[in-house]
Amino acid sequence: MATSSPPIVFTPARRLAARRRMLALQRRPGAPRYLIEDMIEDVQERLGFLRVAPERALVIGDWTLGLAAALAADVLEPAAGHDEERPLPAARFDFIASLGTLDTVNDLPGALVHLRNTLEPGGLMIASFLGAGSLPQLRAAMLAADGERPAPRLHPMVDVRAGGQLLQRAGFADPVVDSRSLSASFRSLDGLVADLRAQGLSSVLARGGPPLDRAALERARAAFAAAGEDGRTVERFEILTLSGWRR
């Protein structure tokens, strides 16, 4: 029986370039890292609540190395060439954390299957990434910029319901899916865009929209500013977390 290939939504080359640019920008003083730090803190809290003390852990996407150091874990990073749509190394782990990367893979069900297959029986996976509902102010600003002919600029995102279906499809036992909000305020649209680039969250769409011309960019800036108060606009990030066990 023939199987169809997943649609090509993201370009691996652009994804790799965005991650490498992020690592370069993170060398600057005061570089933002609040999203990855929130994900790391959340994973540690979940492990403590579940009383899970991994003996052999793997962490994917933790470019700060904070969680990896705490768990004495092996580390894989997309910027170093790790392809999450291919099978992982043959070693088996009792815990795997994936942080901030699975929202930009073309074959998310396949990537989750690879994670499950790399777990030992009884092993736990926790994956966190931006989910549906994220960046509403940026989306509104892009719509204002494009006017009557909106272009694809932000990729579609997974919601809680779809996350549960993905875990079940990948064969995880006792799947749990939840979403939490994290907000940050910005003085300008340019400040938000700079933060996104520094955290590896710029667009990696295979067929993105054309660059904004000067007039469109000014419309976007004006719409973003109009959504705020006292010179600052609050943007929301929805962090989706998927967890499940291998039996």
Side-chain angles (χ1 to χ4, degrees):
M1 179 177 173
T3 58
S4 59
S5 300
I8 304 301
V9 179
F10 307 104
T11 301
R14 292 190 67 182
R15 187 174 189 259
L16 180 63
R19 295 288 294 186
R20 289 180 173 174
R21 178 174 61 185
M22 172 197 70
L23 294 180
L25 292 173
Q26 283 295 323
R27 299 190 187 104
R28 298 180 179 179
R33 51 177 59 185
Y34 48 85
L35 292 171
I36 190 72
E37 289 177 344
D38 181 88
M39 293 178 190
I40 290 171
E41 181 179 359
D42 180 71
V43 169
Q44 292 175 317
E45 289 179 355
R46 290 172 190 264
L47 291 176
F49 177 78
L50 294 170
R51 299 184 180 180
V52 171
E55 295 183 1
R56 183 164 174 75
L58 173 67
V59 177
I60 302 170
D62 174 21
W63 43 270
T64 72
L65 301 180
L67 181 60
L71 300 177
D74 291 357
V75 180
L76 291 175
E77 165 57 47
H82 171 55
D83 185 349
E84 291 165 281
E85 297 187 55
R86 294 183 178 274
L88 278 77
R92 288 287 181 90
F93 299 91
D94 59 354
F95 175 68
I96 298 176
S98 173
L99 305 180
T101 64
L102 287 181
D103 59 319
T104 54
V105 296
N106 288 307
D107 185 7
L108 180 50
L112 289 171
V113 168
H114 294 322
L115 291 174
R116 183 185 62 79
N117 288 344
T118 308
L119 285 170
E120 294 180 345
L124 171 67
M125 180 216 67
I126 299 177
S128 291
F129 50 89
L130 290 192
S134 294
L135 302 170
Q137 304 297 353
L138 178 59
R139 292 179 187 275
M142 292 300 98
L143 287 173
D146 288 325
E148 295 180 355
R149 302 185 66 180
R153 301 195 182 279
L154 282 80
H155 63 264
M157 295 180 175
V158 179
D159 60 17
V160 170
R161 180 178 179 182
Q165 294 171 341
L166 286 165
L167 284 174
Q168 292 177 337
R169 179 177 173 185
F172 282 95
D174 301 323
V176 176
V177 185
D178 59 75
S179 180
R180 65 187 183 279
S181 296
L182 188 154
S183 296
S185 65
F186 300 90
R187 294 190 181 277
S188 66
L189 176 64
D190 299 77
L192 168 60
V193 171
D195 261 34
L196 295 178
R197 287 176 175 167
Q199 296 182 88
L201 297 173
S202 51
S203 174
V204 296
L205 288 169
R207 293 188 178 93
L212 297 176
D213 60 26
R214 182 172 297 179
L217 180 57
E218 289 305 318
R219 289 195 297 271
R221 287 170 171 161
F224 186 81
E229 294 182 1
D230 300 325
R232 301 192 73 93
T233 300
V234 176
E235 186 60 286
R236 185 176 77 249
F237 302 86
E238 290 290 338
I239 301 177
L240 186 70
T241 301
L242 316 180
S243 63
W245 304 78
R246 177 172 183 174
R247 284 186 176 160

